[in-house]
Amino acid sequence: MSVVEIKPNIYWVGVIDWGVRDFHGYVTQNGTTYNNYLIKDEQITLVDTVKHDYDMATVENIKSIVDPSQITNLIINHIEPDHASALGTVMQQMPNATIYITERGKKGLDRHYDTSKWTFKIVKNNDTLNIGKYNLVFLETPMLHWPDSMVTYVKEAKLLISQDAFGQHLASASRFDDDFLAYHSQYELDDAVIDYYANILMPFGKLIKTKIEDIVKLGIEIDMIAPDHGIIWRKDPGKILQMYLDMANSKANPGVAIIYDTMWHSTELMTIPLMQGIKDTGVDCKVIKLRSTPMSVAIKEFWKARGCLIGTPTINNVMFPSIAEFLYHLAGLRPRDRIMGAFGSFGWGGGAVKEAYEKFKQMGLETVEPGIQALYKPSAEDEKKCYEFGKQFAERMKGYNAQF
Ligand code: FEO
């Protein structure tokens, strides 16, 4: 992929990873990109590197613009290996560059590399660096995505280089939103944003809201947002800012996701009248079988809907393992402002539905109780109860959703 000039003398020098499908356990069905940026000013400045598999690819991109040994500054916005693990190779090409990084970034980098021969300048919130025509402003964004994280604002270009924030795991030949949307739907792009937010940033909603408000208070003009993954926002950067604010404010579709697994199809049979009851209440419903669906997709579908019904058979008096894994993973993402219910079949002692509700309450989520259980296989009477529970759940979801 050729380099792309995204602003005068500011270039995308990143790489497209079309093939990655496992991003530390997150299933990246559409691949990803590792974006980094070169600013050709009086002091030539590189912002971020890429994943180590592509270290020479970015070096070759840089060489197509400048001699890397002439690079004066390297800004490390985020030390996670998908952005910093090419650092060793890149620094061999530009050994005299000064690395600008947060204090926590430096500490993290020291754990990953032999940094003893590199020159560092520790930066704090609102520190600036003049590199010639351009002034760079560093804004710390701790926990978005790691404690070290910051973003770099290129003042005269009105460009926010935002590392993980506003990114998407989306490999594409297009670099910009308007170009991508010439070939793809808005839904496809929005879905990639939501997928990324749900799986990576869900725990940090309150921080995201505060940080966006802080940036707005600074009164800086932003006419382009360049994240470290996926599409660059130049057509409408306000749209992605608003999407993030909406997600941070727990905006969700007034719908229900039924996420279930099944042993001998009994719990699966219960999803049919449940879905019908929800639909007959005028509420959209999506049914997701967990063992047929990547975990990250199920997390995204959970996040998109205000309501979620979890279907789990009882096995050995506890939840089905895939459902237990899903709820364990979900708890780590610290979900907020969702309403939950549970259902499932059992043979003798039961226990899974009760355990699911315990997990919902541990997560601080709203519940509609007591859920529905069916002995062995749902009878006609059980199916009627499922239908009614579906209607009851959908009505409760609508009422709960009205407060957001
Ligand atoms: Fe794309 Fe937190 O790294």
Side-chain angles (χ1 to χ4, degrees), residues 23 78 80 82-83 145-146 164 196 229:
F23 188 95
H78 181 25
E80 192 166 3
D82 50 328
H83 309 294
H145 168 221
W146 278 11
D164 280 340
Y196 189 90
H229 295 291

Side-chain angles (χ1 to χ4, degrees), residues 218-229:
L218 288 173
I220 61 177
E221 287 183 80
I222 298 172
D223 77 0
M224 183 183 289
I225 297 177
D228 277 4
H229 295 291

Side-chain angles (χ1 to χ4, degrees), residues 233-273:
W233 305 95
R234 80 172 169 191
K235 175 172 172 270
D236 190 0
K239 178 180 162 54
I240 184 68
L241 279 168
Q242 189 59 51
M243 267 186 90
Y244 262 55
L245 273 177
D246 286 346
M247 290 190 284
N249 283 321
S250 291
K251 191 174 174 187
N253 295 334
V256 176
I258 298 178
I259 298 173
Y260 78 99
D261 220 324
T262 197
M263 291 169 68
W264 294 106
H265 301 293
S266 293
T267 300
E268 188 166 59
L269 284 171
M270 297 172 79
T271 66
I272 299 168

Side-chain angles (χ1 to χ4, degrees), residues 180-392:
F180 182 85
L181 290 169
Y183 306 99
H184 303 272
S185 69
Q186 185 72 53
Y187 174 86
E188 198 174 333
L189 186 52
D190 289 353
D191 197 61
V193 171
I194 296 166
D195 187 67
Y196 189 90
Y197 186 100
N199 281 282
I200 305 281
L201 298 174
M202 191 195 299
F204 311 118
K206 286 180 181 165
L207 282 170
I208 287 168
K209 190 168 173 242
T210 304
K211 191 45 71 174
I212 291 178
E213 286 168 355
D214 285 352
I215 290 172
V216 170
K217 273 187 215 151
L218 288 173
I220 61 177
E221 287 183 80
I222 298 172
D223 77 0
M224 183 183 289
I225 297 177
D228 277 4
H229 295 291
I231 296 299
I232 296 167
W233 305 95
R234 80 172 169 191
K235 175 172 172 270
D236 190 0
K239 178 180 162 54
I240 184 68
L241 279 168
Q242 189 59 51
M243 267 186 90
Y244 262 55
L245 273 177
D246 286 346
M247 290 190 284
N249 283 321
S250 291
K251 191 174 174 187
N253 295 334
V256 176
I258 298 178
I259 298 173
Y260 78 99
D261 220 324
T262 197
M263 291 169 68
W264 294 106
H265 301 293
S266 293
T267 300
E268 188 166 59
L269 284 171
M270 297 172 79
T271 66
I272 299 168
L274 280 164
M275 184 210 72
Q276 197 60 52
I278 293 164
K279 186 71 179 69
D280 288 352
T281 315
V283 167
D284 189 32
C285 180
K286 191 159 189 173
V287 182
I288 298 124
K289 182 179 178 183
L290 205 46
R291 270 182 300 161
S292 308
T293 310
M295 177 74 75
S296 49
V297 175
I299 292 289
K300 175 185 70 177
E301 296 298 340
F302 163 85
W303 175 249
K304 282 164 80 170
R306 179 67 69 202
C308 178
L309 285 174
I310 293 290
T312 173
T314 293
I315 179 168
N316 302 323
N317 301 113
V318 294
M319 293 186 290
F320 197 69
S322 61
I323 294 292
E325 183 191 8
F326 174 78
L327 292 177
Y328 184 82
H329 184 58
L330 184 65
L333 290 166
R334 302 202 295 276
R336 290 184 293 125
D337 304 322
R338 298 298 188 274
I339 188 165
M340 308 293 291
F343 64 95
S345 71
F346 68 104
W348 41 102
V353 166
K354 179 169 172 281
E355 191 185 16
Y357 276 104
E358 287 168 3
K359 297 290 179 200
F360 304 155
K361 287 174 184 170
Q362 285 166 10
M363 287 187 256
L365 300 173
E366 189 81 6
T367 55
V368 179
E369 296 183 56
I372 291 283
Q373 296 188 74
L375 179 63
Y376 285 117
K377 187 176 178 183
S379 63
E381 184 62 24
D382 290 327
E383 288 180 354
K384 192 160 171 287
K385 286 180 185 167
C386 285
Y387 178 81
E388 292 302 326
F389 184 62
K391 289 184 79 167
Q392 181 200 355

